[in-house]
Amino acid sequence: MTWSEMQPLLEQAGQETLIMVGWSTLIAVVGGLPLGILLVLTDKGGLLQNTVVNKVIGQVVNIGRSLPFIILMVALMTFTRWVTGTTIGSEAAIVPLAIGGIPFFARLVETAVREVDGGLVEAVQAMGGNTWTVVRKVLVPEALPSLIASTTTTIIALIGYSAMAGTVGGGGLGDLAVRYGYNRFESGLMWVTVAILAVAISLIQFAGDATARALHRRGGRSGAAPRLRLLKTEEPATADVSKVA
């Protein structure tokens, strides 16, 4: 197969992979971020300590992470058909990709948030900040470099999942590699697909690491830091000895 024949196939498959990974990453971040934070808040000693809720969320996340993606795809076929009207194609693949990505990202968020200095949380609480204020002003901003790194890891994992989705008609580069590279013995196209995936993953990793380092140098904050200096108490006024007779 010549390059002129490969190019339109690669462009279409690349667009399908981009759509699958882009939407599934967005859904995974939106769904996994609050889950990960809630795992920390409801844990022992957390601001919303609740053992029952923590155990339930933890078990749901563990089950979601323990299922191999190919099995998850098969198990969710009925739900996927209900949501998208089909079980094949890139649109259908977004459903299991997103559902598989949510618990994966949630655990990474939990780890990142636990690394935040507890002294900052206590300081904001001492200033009268409620739980939402602590999350918005301390936990998320301080954990932002780690959250960026977690998002990068999730994107790379979802690219791998999307390649597996291609083996069952999910579309994208994985589907292209299987249909042409394996079934039709077009080894050249298969190796080009592998090279494209390798380059894409390397660029994503580089961009994620660079962003995380830049935020880390800024103290992990994307906005203004909490004004912790307000916690300083005024020194007691000294008595005027001259007025004491």
Side-chain angles (χ1 to χ4, degrees):
M1 181 178 287
T2 64
W3 173 251
S4 60
E5 294 173 326
M6 291 183 187
Q7 187 174 2
L9 296 174
L10 291 170
E11 289 178 355
Q12 181 180 355
Q15 291 175 0
E16 291 174 349
T17 297
L18 182 62
I19 292 172
M20 285 191 294
V21 175
W23 278 107
S24 57
T25 299
L26 178 62
I27 296 171
V29 170
V30 171
L33 181 61
L35 272 182
I37 294 175
L38 200 57
L39 282 169
V40 176
L41 295 179
T42 58
D43 200 5
K44 184 177 180 181
L47 300 178
L48 301 175
Q49 180 175 332
N50 190 314
T51 304
V52 175
V53 173
N54 185 267
K55 294 295 183 183
V56 170
I57 297 176
Q59 286 301 318
V60 171
V61 170
N62 289 338
I63 292 172
R65 290 186 63 199
S66 64
L67 289 175
F69 180 72
I70 193 70
I71 295 177
L72 182 65
M73 283 191 67
V74 175
L76 291 174
M77 278 187 174
T78 302
F79 179 71
T80 300
R81 184 181 291 108
W82 177 75
V83 173
T84 64
T86 182
T87 57
I88 59 175
S90 56
E91 291 184 1
I94 292 173
V95 176
L97 282 171
I99 293 178
I102 288 174
F104 182 86
F105 185 68
R107 281 301 184 192
L108 295 178
V109 170
E110 180 189 11
T111 302
V113 172
R114 288 190 187 279
E115 295 175 354
V116 176
D117 186 3
L120 294 175
V121 175
E122 295 175 0
V124 173
Q125 285 183 300
M127 289 188 289
N130 55 21
T131 302
W132 170 244
T133 302
V134 170
V135 171
R136 187 168 56 91
K137 293 293 187 180
V138 178
L139 296 183
V140 172
E142 291 295 325
L144 195 54
S146 296
L147 292 177
I148 295 297
S150 300
T151 303
T152 303
T153 303
T154 302
I155 293 173
I156 293 173
L158 289 175
I159 291 176
Y161 290 166
S162 71
M164 280 190 282
T167 63
V168 291
L173 292 170
D175 178 56
L176 182 65
V178 171
R179 284 191 294 114
Y180 287 86
Y182 180 76
N183 293 336
R184 302 187 184 183
F185 303 102
E186 294 286 352
S187 57
L189 178 59
M190 184 177 66
W191 286 114
V192 170
T193 303
V194 171
I196 291 174
L197 288 172
V199 171
I201 289 174
S202 298
L203 291 176
I204 291 170
Q205 188 68 63
F206 175 79
D209 291 345
T211 304
R213 285 195 298 267
L215 290 172
H216 184 72
R217 286 195 295 267
R218 293 174 55 188
R221 299 183 177 91
S222 58
R227 297 181 62 186
L228 301 183
R229 62 180 180 274
L230 295 179
L231 287 174
K232 295 181 180 179
T233 57
E234 297 181 357
E235 296 182 0
T238 56
D240 190 349
V241 181
S242 62
K243 295 183 178 180
V244 180

